[in-house]
Amino acid sequence: MKKTLLIAAVFFSGQLIAQDAKMNAFITGLMSKMTLEEKIGQLNLITPGSGIPTGSVVSTDVEGKIKSGKVGGMFGVIGAEKVRQAQDMAVNSTRLKIPLMFGSDVIHGHKTIFPIPLGISCSWDTALIRQSAIVAAEEATADGLNWVFSPMVDVARDPRWGRVSEGSGEDPFLGAQIATAMVKGYQGTSLSDKKTVLACVKHFALYGAPEGGRDYNSVDINRTRMFNDYLAPYKAAVDAGVASVMTSFNDIDGVPATGNKWLLTDLLRRDWKFNGMIVSDYTSVNEMVNHRLGNLQEVSAQSIRAGLDMDMVGEGFLTTLKKSLDEKKITLADIDRACRKVLEAKYKAGLFEDPYRYIDENRKNEILTQSKRDFARMIAAQSFVLLKNNANALPIKKTQRIALVGPLANDRSNMLGTWAVSGDPQLSVSVMEGLLKQTASPVNIAYAKGANITDDPSLAKQANVFGMRAEIDERTPAAMLEEAVAIARSSDVVVVVVGEASEMSGEAASRSDITLPASQVRLLHALYATGKPVVVVIMSGRPLALTNIVDGASAILHTWHAGIEAGNAIADAVYGAVNPSGKLSMSFPYSVGQVPVYYAQKTTGRPMDPNNKFSTKYMDVPNGPLFPFGHGLSYTQFTFSDVQLSASSMTAAGAITASVTVTNSGFRDGAEVVQLYIEDKVRSITPPSKELKGFQKIMLKAGESRTVRFTIDASVLKFWNADMKFVAEPGAFGVGIGGSSADLKTALFTLTK
Ligand code: NOJ
C-alpha cells in the first residue's frame, strides 16, 4: 500500500515538474518577444469602475490602454458579454495577443450571496465552507471571471474595525482551517478547469489589527505575536496552493506591506516558498506616498524591489518603472520576475490555451439557480448563533401570533451584508417574507417597523453610500414606537429584528461605539416592558456590545447579515426546522472599553482577583467578554464527560489521545462543535491563556452519545519562541474540551524531554 502511494507521489511530482518546465519554456519564449513596455503593461491591473470602487481613483482610457498592451488584468467587469468585449480587445488588437485575467471581489458568493464570512466562520464546518467556495467559483466563472479576491483571512480582535465582517474572527487556528477550505474550494484540483478560479488570499499581512480599530490605520505587532497569533491563516492559504496574494494597506515595522521586502520576499517567497503572484491592494502603491515613504516613482520602485508583481489601479508601475530602470533604481530582473509571475497566473488559469475559457454566455443558467439559493439558505442557517434562549422561547410554534417588529424585519436592502458587489439586494428574502411562508396562517404575523436603524442623519448618510440602507422614517420615533408596542400587546410573542445596516460594517466602516443605535435600544426596552416574550434577532457585520439589551430578551439569535436567503433561513431557525449550531468565532464584549477582548488573552503577572485591588481588572465590567469565543446554544442540550487521556505524558516524538463522550441530553436532534484547547502551563515567553487546537462538529440525535477523539502531538504544542524558533517546550500542559472556550472539561499531561 505504502509503496503504491510512494510510486503515485513520485509520478505526480514528476508530472508537476514536467508541467512547470513546459510553462517555463512557454513563458520564456513569450517574454523574449516582449518589449519593456509590454512587460510593464502586464503588471497593470485596472478597473473601469463598475462594481464598487474602493478608493478615489478609477482607471481611465481603459480601451486605449488594453489595445496598446498596457493592461495585464481587470476587475469590476462582470458578465460574459462584457468580459468578452474586453478580452477581444486584448486578443485581437495587441501585438502579442496576451489574454487578460478578470478578477472580482467574490467574497461571500458571487450573485447568490451567502452570509458574510464572519457569519460563515461561525458554522465551524470546513466541508461546508469549502463547498461555499466551490459554488461561488462555479457562479463566478459562469459570469466570465477567473480570479477572486478572496479569502480574506486577517485575524481580527477589535470589533470596532468594520472589516471583521469579511474574515473568520479572532483565532489563528480556526482561521487557518477556513483559509485552507476556501482556497481548496475555489481552486479545486485544476486551476484551468472552467469552473475553478484563482484565489487571492488577503490582506498580507496583519491588516486586521489597525490601531484603535480604525480602517487603514497603522499596525504595530511584535514578531512573536505576529507569528504566534496572526500569520497562520495566510501561511495555511499558501500551503494550500493559493495562486495569488494581495498585500495590505497597513505598515509592518514601519514599512507599508506593499513595499515591505522582509514580508514579501524574505517571509512569503523565501521561507514560505510561495510561487504565485503578488498583487497590491487598491492604489496601495500610491498610498505609500501618503505614508511618507517618497514620491510615486520611489515607492513604485521600492514595491517592485520588495517583491510586488502587480499594481492595482494606481498605475505607479505603468508610469514610473521605465524611468526607474533607466536611472538604475530597479533592475530588468525585477520587471522580468514580476511579469513572469503575472504570465504564470494566466498560464495556470489556462488562458493561453483558450483566452475565452471562462467566457461562455450559455452558462448564464448556472447563475442564481434554485439549487444555489437552497445552498445559500442552508449555509445561512448554519451561521446563526443562538446567544440566549430562556425557557425555550425559541423555537416558536407556527400557530403562535407573532408581533414582527424592527427596522430590519421587513427589509431586503440589508440582507446581503457588506461586500456583495455583484449581489442584488432586491433578490433577497426579508424576514417577513420568510416567516409568512412558514406560519400556519398569515394572520399570525402583524408587522410594525418600530424604529429607524438609526435616527442619526450622519450615520444614516454613511450607511446609505451604496443605496438606501438606513431610511429615516417620516413618522416620529414616538409614533413608530407606539405602533410597535400596540401590536406587541396583542401577540403571543414578539420577534424583533434589529442590528446594523449592511454598510455599518465592512471596509471603511469603523465604529467607536459598537452598541445598537439608541433608536433600537429604545424600541427593545419598550417591547420588554410589555411583558411579552421577546425574541431578538440581531443582524450585524461585527460583534456588538449587547449588555444594555440582553437581560430583557427571552432569546437572542444572532444571524449576522445572512445573505440572499436570509429571511427563509431565519424562519427555518425561528420555527425550528433548523436547530441552530453556530459558535462565535469572535468574542462579544460587554463594552467597547474592553476591546480587544478575546479568549486567548494572556494571564498577566497579576491575574484577576476580585479581592485584590492590585490585580488586573476593570472597576466597571468583568475582564472577559459578554459572550465568549466558541459560545453558541442549541434547542437541545449537550453534556460532556470528563476528558480521558491515553497517557499522562508524551515525548516530542510521541502523541496522546484526548477523548470525551458527548451526549445529546435534550429532546431534539442537533449538532455540537466539540472544541479542543491547549494550555501551556510553563513557557519561555508568556503564552495565551489557552489556544484552540482542534474541533469537530458532530450531529447527535436526541439521546445519542458519541466519543470524540483528538490526537495531541508536538505539532499542536509548538510556538515561536523569543529566538523565532518554532518549538514545543517540555513541561505541563492542560487539555480543555467543551462546547465553548469558557466551558471546558480539563485534564493535564506532561511533555517530557
Ligand atoms: C480594496 C479592498 O481592501 C480589497 O479587499 C479589495 O479586494 C480591493 N479593494 C478591490 O476591490
Side-chain angles (χ1 to χ4, degrees):
M1 177 65 189
K2 271 195 177 150
K3 205 173 158 193
T4 339
L5 280 179
L6 189 70
I7 294 171
V10 172
F11 176 74
F12 283 121
S13 66
Q15 266 197 334
L16 284 181
I17 292 169
Q19 273 170 16
D20 279 357
K22 208 172 147 203
M23 173 175 80
N24 292 342
F26 174 84
I27 291 174
T28 303
L30 177 59
M31 283 178 60
S32 69
K33 295 184 212 133
M34 291 172 80
T35 63
L36 177 65
E37 286 75 12
E38 284 165 338
K39 288 177 181 171
I40 293 174
Q42 286 302 308
L43 316 186
N44 194 27
L45 175 63
I46 65 169
T47 180
S50 57
I52 297 173
T54 53
S56 44
V57 185
V58 174
S59 316
T60 54
D61 185 24
V62 169
E63 190 172 336
K65 279 180 187 147
I66 297 176
K67 289 186 171 167
S68 55
K70 292 193 171 114
V71 179
M74 298 181 80
F75 70 104
V77 185
I78 314 280
E81 290 87 354
K82 286 192 190 158
V83 173
R84 182 181 292 281
Q85 266 179 18
Q87 193 69 302
D88 277 344
M89 290 177 208
V91 172
N92 300 332
S93 304
T94 63
R95 196 177 69 92
L96 293 170
K97 307 185 183 325
I98 299 174
L100 297 170
M101 54 199 290
F102 293 90
S104 181
D105 285 288
V106 174
I107 308 296
H108 44 117
H110 174 55
K111 285 188 169 152
T112 307
I113 302 293
F114 310 138
I116 56 167
L118 185 61
I120 293 184
S121 71
C122 292
S123 72
W124 294 53
D125 185 336
T126 50
L128 187 66
I129 293 171
R130 182 173 177 161
Q131 188 60 29
S132 79
I134 293 174
V135 177
E138 182 182 273
E139 198 171 54
T141 53
D143 226 8
L145 303 168
N146 46 48
W147 184 26
V148 296
F149 301 151
S150 170
M152 188 279 217
V153 304
D154 305 316
V155 169
R157 296 173 166 183
D158 188 336
R160 292 174 297 183
W161 188 53
R163 299 196 83 171
V164 300
S165 51
E166 288 175 62
S168 296
E170 72 185 47
D171 185 67
F173 181 86
L174 178 61
Q177 307 296 312
I178 293 177
T180 304
M182 294 290 291
V183 170
K184 291 196 166 158
Y186 283 134
Q187 299 193 164
T189 48
S190 163
L191 283 174
S192 60
D193 188 299
K194 276 184 180 164
K195 295 192 175 183
T196 62
V197 288
L198 309 177
C200 183
V201 67
K202 67 190 190 184
H203 306 82
F204 195 61
L206 315 183
Y207 181 43
E211 284 181 0
R214 175 159 52 79
D215 207 2
Y216 316 126
N217 204 4
S218 193
V219 169
D220 191 6
I221 300 182
N222 70 48
R223 240 356 114 88
T224 51
R225 233 211 170 164
M226 195 187 287
F227 277 74
N228 286 320
D229 296 357
Y230 286 88
L231 292 180
Y234 309 106
K235 172 75 163 50
V238 170
D239 290 345
V242 73
S244 62
V245 170
M246 188 187 295
T247 64
S248 56
F249 288 121
N250 55 280
D251 60 337
I252 292 173
D253 295 333
V255 183
T258 302
N260 191 315
K261 178 175 172 299
W262 171 78
L263 186 74
L264 304 185
T265 297
D266 299 354
L267 183 67
L268 183 58
R269 290 245 188 252
R270 186 193 65 201
D271 297 351
W272 292 3
K273 314 246 173 305
F274 174 65
N275 64 11
M277 179 181 80
I278 307 178
V279 61
S280 78
D281 201 345
Y282 203 108
T283 61
S284 67
V285 173
N286 313 56
E287 290 167 26
M288 286 167 63
V289 176
N290 287 341
H291 278 289
R292 304 198 184 173
L293 275 263
N295 63 29
L296 185 60
Q297 183 191 349
E298 285 159 347
V299 298
S300 301
Q302 175 174 343
S303 300
I304 198 163
R305 283 195 314 259
L308 185 74
D309 301 317
M310 201 173 207
D311 175 8
M312 188 192 292
V313 177
E315 302 195 341
F317 277 10
L318 190 74
T319 54
T320 70
L321 286 188
K322 185 172 182 309
K323 183 159 187 270
S324 290
L325 185 66
D326 293 343
E327 293 169 5
K328 302 205 166 21
K329 291 189 168 126
I330 60 170
T331 63
L332 187 57
D334 292 321
I335 294 175
D336 279 348
R337 179 219 70 229
C339 178
R340 180 174 286 274
K341 287 294 161 197
V342 175
L343 296 175
E344 280 179 7
K346 296 181 182 185
Y347 185 96
K348 289 176 194 165
L351 291 171
F352 285 110
E353 218 174 59
D354 177 7
Y356 298 92
R357 184 174 294 253
Y358 304 88
I359 308 175
D360 179 353
E361 289 78 356
N362 294 323
R363 285 188 61 199
K364 274 205 182 100
N365 59 5
E366 292 172 39
I367 298 171
L368 283 164
T369 58
Q370 189 55 45
S371 75
K372 288 193 173 67
R373 291 195 71 128
D374 292 345
F375 177 79
R377 176 173 179 166
M378 192 262 289
I379 194 169
Q382 295 303 311
S383 72
F384 300 162
V385 185
L386 183 62
L387 294 177
K388 176 179 178 181
N389 196 17
N390 273 8
N392 296 327
L394 277 174
I396 292 173
K397 291 193 194 60
K398 293 186 176 172
T399 48
Q400 280 180 294
R401 284 171 305 143
I402 295 178
L404 178 64
V405 177
L408 291 161
N410 183 22
D411 173 277
R412 286 180 177 172
S413 62
N414 289 290
M415 297 304 101
L416 302 185
T418 186
W419 268 122
V421 284
S422 302
D424 177 354
Q426 283 319 312
L427 297 181
S428 62
V429 181
S430 73
V431 177
M432 176 131 101
E433 291 165 324
L435 290 177
L436 277 171
K437 273 189 237 161
Q438 295 193 37
T439 174
S441 159
V443 296
N444 287 339
I445 314 278
Y447 164 75
K449 182 172 172 186
N452 295 313
I453 289 179
T454 175
D455 294 336
D456 172 359
S458 153
L459 186 56
K461 187 172 167 215
Q462 294 179 70
N464 293 335
V465 58
F466 302 134
M468 186 55 83
R469 304 279 186 268
E471 191 163 15
I472 298 188
D473 210 277
E474 283 171 1
R475 291 170 293 169
T476 64
M480 292 163 76
L481 203 68
E482 206 176 301
E483 183 193 19
V485 167
I487 67 159
R489 287 217 169 93
S490 55
S491 68
D492 299 322
V493 55
V494 181
V495 174
V496 52
V497 190
V498 293
E500 295 186 307
S502 52
E503 299 312 325
M504 281 167 69
S505 56
E507 187 171 352
S510 296
R511 296 178 63 201
S512 74
D513 176 358
I514 54 169
T515 57
L516 285 170
S519 53
Q520 303 188 53
V521 174
R522 240 185 351 257
L523 172 65
L524 289 171
H525 288 169
L527 295 170
Y528 297 160
T530 63
K532 296 286 179 180
V534 179
V535 169
V536 186
V537 174
I538 307 182
M539 300 178 175
S540 73
R542 56 155 60 77
L544 299 171
L546 299 174
T547 311
N548 57 351
I549 62 103
V550 166
D551 288 347
S554 304
I556 302 179
L557 183 69
H558 205 94
T559 66
W560 312 104
H561 290 121
I564 190 164
E565 287 285 326
N568 284 330
I570 290 170
D572 290 340
V574 163
Y575 283 129
V578 174
N579 184 355
S581 59
K583 300 282 184 175
L584 294 180
S585 59
M586 195 169 175
S587 308
F588 275 43
Y590 278 92
S591 139
V592 75
Q594 293 175 299
V595 165
V597 60
Y598 50 96
Y599 82 90
Q601 258 164 345
K602 298 183 177 189
T603 51
T604 86
R606 293 184 173 194
M608 155 70 174
D609 174 356
N611 301 316
N612 179 359
K613 172 169 175 60
F614 298 101
S615 71
T616 186
K617 58 179 171 323
Y618 297 103
M619 295 172 85
D620 50 355
V621 282
N623 283 3
L626 175 61
F627 295 112
F629 177 84
H631 169 75
L633 305 172
S634 163
Y635 296 158
T636 187
Q637 285 81 44
F638 297 98
T639 48
F640 284 71
S641 72
D642 286 339
V643 176
Q644 302 289 324
L645 296 182
S646 59
S648 58
S649 70
M650 60 177 259
T651 62
I656 57 173
T657 304
S659 49
V660 285
T661 301
V662 186
T663 303
N664 179 345
S665 46
F667 299 102
R668 283 172 176 268
D669 301 351
E672 174 65 315
V673 180
V674 185
Q675 305 161 37
L676 167 80
Y677 295 84
I678 298 287
E679 266 183 53
D680 196 343
K681 299 285 186 185
V682 184
R683 196 180 258 193
S684 58
I685 60 170
T686 54
S689 54
K690 57 187 148 207
E691 293 171 278
L692 181 76
K693 289 295 177 183
F695 59 89
Q696 292 177 38
K697 189 167 185 175
I698 55 167
M699 183 75 201
L700 290 179
K701 295 207 173 311
E704 194 187 355
S705 295
R706 185 158 335 142
T707 300
V708 174
R709 294 183 178 78
F710 294 99
T711 302
I712 299 173
D713 60 18
S715 70
V716 302
L717 309 179
K718 284 186 175 173
F719 68 98
W720 295 91
N721 71 11
D723 301 324
M724 295 312 295
K725 300 242 155 55
F726 196 51
V727 294
E729 293 176 344
F733 288 87
V735 176
I737 303 182
S740 155
S741 67
D743 184 12
L744 301 171
K745 291 287 173 69
T746 57
L748 278 176
F749 73 94
T750 311
L751 175 68
T752 56
K753 287 212 171 90

